[in-house]
Structure formats: C-alpha cells, structure tokens
Amino acid sequence: MNIEQLYRQVIMDHYKYPQNKGVVSDPSYLTIHLNNPSCGDEMTVQVKVDHNQITDIKHQGTGCSICCSSASVMSVTLKGKSIDEANAIIREFYEMIKGYPFNKDILVGDAIVYQGVSQFPARIKCATLAWKAVEQGINKIKEDNKNG
Ligand code: ZN
C-alpha cells in the first residue's frame, strides 16, 4: 500500500464511520451552517466552548466524501483544544490544502491525509467547509467573550 492509498483509506474510514456526527438541541452549543454550491455540500457544525476550551464539536451534513470525512477529521482534531490552538491548527490546514508548506508540529493526526487536495482546486472548498464553519463559530464565541 502506498501513501496515497493509505490516505484514501483514512478518508473513506471517516466517511463511513464519522466521529462526533449528529447535532444536538442544546443552547450551550453555537450552530453554524455553511454550504458549498459548486459541489452541493451542506454542513452544519456545532461547537461548545468552555473557558476558551473547545469541549465538544458536532457535525451533520450531506455532500461528497471529501466534505463529510473532513468534518469528522476536523472534529477529532480540534476537540479539546483551546481557541488559540484551534485557530493555529486551522491556519496550517488551509496552508496545506492550498499546497503551501505547513507546520507538521501544529497540524497533526489524520488531517494530513487531505494534502493531495491541493492538486484538485475544485475540491478545496469541499475539504475546508467544515473547518470554515468551526472557525466562524469559535471566532464568534471569542468576540462575544471579548464584548463581555
Ligand atoms: Zn464536495
């Protein structure tokens, strides 16, 4: 098995057996809904933050395997991180997706399987949709905290 086959396997595993899937009706979660019309992906992400720490992430969406698996990977990667850590990880993820050098000490775990997406510009929005949603959510929470 070469590295690309391994990456594809990890993506398919997250697609078939997503982690943290399903939304909750709990007002302590912030809900963000984004879509990607170019592919037809729809993604809802819920994030719960306690004292600047992401204590839970949920996601529910329909779309292609890249989009749905990436939501699962995002939830596993960012759950338990502080808002600042999460923002740093998200930044490195975007760099990687665009094909730029990225910090492998910051972006760790299954997220690196999307490296190859940079060669398929049409799929970049698929891979980043859930990450954009959670980024919006934590930044809104950060703003709200700042404003007291
Ligand atoms: Zn897609």
Side-chain angles (χ1 to χ4, degrees), residues 36 39 41 64 67 123 126:
N36 170 24
C39 179
D41 304 319
C64 64
C67 175
R123 312 314 294 273
C126 303

Side-chain angles (χ1 to χ4, degrees), residues 18-24 28-32 43-50 53-60 70-83 86-87 89-90 130-131 133-135 137-138 141:
Q19 308 283 310
N20 304 304
K21 186 164 177 164
V23 288
V24 291
S28 66
Y29 286 75
L30 184 74
T31 302
I32 311 96
M43 184 55 63
T44 300
V45 169
Q46 294 185 311
V47 58
K48 184 173 176 162
V49 172
D50 229 336
Q53 202 86 19
I54 299 172
T55 55
D56 201 15
I57 300 177
K58 310 289 286 175
H59 63 92
Q60 177 98 56
S70 183
S72 172
V73 171
M74 176 280 288
S75 69
V76 172
T77 306
L78 300 182
K79 204 165 149 174
K81 300 289 189 293
S82 73
I83 285 184
N87 271 323
I89 293 167
I90 292 166
W131 297 73
V134 79
E135 183 185 30
I138 56 178
I141 291 166

Side-chain angles (χ1 to χ4, degrees), residues 79-99:
K79 204 165 149 174
K81 300 289 189 293
S82 73
I83 285 184
D84 289 343
E85 283 169 338
N87 271 323
I89 293 167
I90 292 166
R91 249 194 323 270
E92 296 303 323
F93 184 76
Y94 292 163
E95 292 294 289
M96 180 191 76
I97 290 288
K98 286 184 277 188

Side-chain angles (χ1 to χ4, degrees), residues 10-12 14-15 64-74 114:
V10 173
I11 290 170
M12 285 321 288
H14 276 279
Y15 182 58
C64 64
S65 56
I66 299 282
C67 175
C68 294
S69 64
S70 183
S72 172
V73 171
M74 176 280 288
Y114 296 96

Side-chain angles (χ1 to χ4, degrees), residues 91-146:
R91 249 194 323 270
E92 296 303 323
F93 184 76
Y94 292 163
E95 292 294 289
M96 180 191 76
I97 290 288
K98 286 184 277 188
Y100 299 149
F102 64 98
N103 188 330
K104 293 187 170 89
D105 294 327
I106 294 176
L107 187 66
V108 296
D110 286 350
I112 60 159
V113 302
Y114 296 96
Q115 276 184 64
V117 171
S118 61
Q119 293 160 44
F120 306 94
R123 312 314 294 273
I124 287 176
K125 280 185 184 161
C126 303
T128 55
L129 191 65
W131 297 73
K132 290 226 160 81
V134 79
E135 183 185 30
Q136 279 186 20
I138 56 178
N139 286 336
K140 171 141 193 2
I141 291 166
K142 206 174 166 181
E143 279 303 305
D144 289 350
N145 287 348
K146 213 186 293 171

